[in-house]
Amino acid sequence: MASTRLRSRSLLGSSKKMLDCLDALTCAICLEVFEKPMMISCGHIYCNGCLSSYDSLSEPLCPLCRSKFSPTRRKKAIEVEKEITSSKSLCCGCEKKMSVSKLRSHQTSCSKLAKAAQSIKFTPVAKTSQSPPSNIPNRATFACPICGHRNLDTYDLVKHCNDKHSKNCSPMVCPICAAMPWGDPTLKSSNFVQHLNVRHRFEYDTYVDYSIDDEEALKAAISASLKEM
């Protein structure tokens, strides 16, 4: 995979052009069009929000070249930002032509793109003796039930709702709870944002074994507690 730094330079210089490939304007962390692109010391570029998750690390490594960098010393990638605002591209769902700067927000609510994503079926890359799994719920990423923003993991959903919807006290179905084996897709939390902050400050995957039923999970919990006594 060529570096974001090298690919972005090859596109810079012209304006008001149509782009068929957005690789040079795509963040290698979130795989979306850059949002507030920032350059780190090695020259690679990422979204400012994506780099924020590295702020608490003492010696973070660049996801592309594995070089050490200082999160506080990132700087605006002005040329890439200009490229985003001056170029146009097509939504791969509805094929509507628009500014690249608007593409990211548009794709979170594009019904045709969402329908296409739902139609994708799992197929094994090679023949196997096992049957491919079916109807596997997505417990990795979620959509914000308030604004529809998609592809958020638990941490990002909590952060997104606190940043964008902190004053919203509307009752909502929690997508994280609804995706769990015990989840009720019709149950609404009276205050969704407050529910997120109380219940979802951790990843369920850390504590839950989805392959066992409730009775086995209870036995495992009792056994673990007795060992700690």
Side-chain angles (χ1 to χ4, degrees):
M1 178 175 172
S3 72
T4 304
R5 173 183 53 187
L6 294 177
R7 288 181 297 179
S8 62
R9 285 177 179 170
S10 67
L11 290 175
L12 302 176
S14 59
S15 62
K16 304 295 182 183
K17 62 177 176 291
M18 215 38 207
L19 296 181
D20 294 324
C21 180
L22 295 176
D23 283 358
L25 303 179
T26 298
C27 174
I29 297 177
C30 66
L31 303 181
E32 300 272 6
V33 171
F34 288 121
E35 187 173 52
K36 297 181 180 178
M38 305 293 287
M39 182 182 291
I40 57 177
S41 56
C42 63
H44 289 118
I45 300 168
Y46 305 98
C47 301
N48 186 54
C50 293
L51 287 173
S52 296
S53 60
Y54 290 82
D55 289 347
S56 59
L57 302 179
S58 58
E59 292 186 338
L61 302 177
C62 170
L64 286 175
C65 69
R66 312 307 293 169
S67 299
K68 292 182 181 179
F69 71 96
S70 171
T72 59
R73 297 181 63 184
R74 56 182 181 259
K75 59 182 180 180
K76 287 185 178 180
I78 298 174
E79 289 184 325
V80 174
E81 198 161 25
K82 287 180 179 178
E83 180 75 7
I84 292 172
T85 57
S86 64
S87 303
K88 291 186 177 182
S89 188
L90 296 176
C91 169
C92 56
C94 64
E95 298 187 348
K96 181 179 179 181
K97 182 169 70 173
M98 66 189 70
S99 169
V100 174
S101 61
K102 297 179 180 179
L103 192 61
R104 180 168 177 154
S105 60
H106 166 79
Q107 290 184 334
T108 62
S109 58
C110 177
S111 58
K112 289 187 177 181
L113 187 62
K115 186 176 180 180
Q118 291 172 357
S119 67
I120 297 175
K121 303 296 183 181
F122 171 84
T123 55
V125 296
K127 289 184 177 181
T128 173
S129 59
Q130 297 178 339
S131 301
S134 60
N135 300 322
I136 299 177
N138 178 11
R139 300 189 180 109
T141 59
F142 311 94
C144 171
I146 300 174
C147 67
H149 191 90
R150 296 180 294 116
N151 298 325
L152 301 167
D153 62 17
T154 299
Y155 172 83
D156 288 332
L157 180 60
V158 173
K159 185 176 186 302
H160 166 81
C161 289
N162 281 315
D163 290 346
K164 305 291 185 181
H165 311 301
S166 60
K167 296 181 180 179
N168 189 307
C169 300
S170 303
M172 298 276 176
V173 174
C174 174
I176 304 173
C177 290
M180 296 300 116
W182 58 85
D184 182 352
T186 65
L187 181 64
K188 292 185 177 182
S189 300
S190 58
N191 185 325
F192 173 64
V193 177
Q194 184 181 50
H195 165 84
L196 281 180
N197 287 316
V198 173
R199 294 289 300 275
H200 298 299
R201 285 294 184 179
F202 65 92
E203 293 278 0
Y204 272 122
D205 286 348
T206 307
Y207 303 97
V208 178
D209 184 353
Y210 299 117
S211 65
I212 62 176
D213 59 26
D214 291 347
E215 186 176 349
E216 289 178 337
L218 179 60
K219 289 180 180 178
I222 294 173
S223 176
S225 64
L226 290 174
K227 289 180 180 178
E228 293 176 358
M229 292 180 65

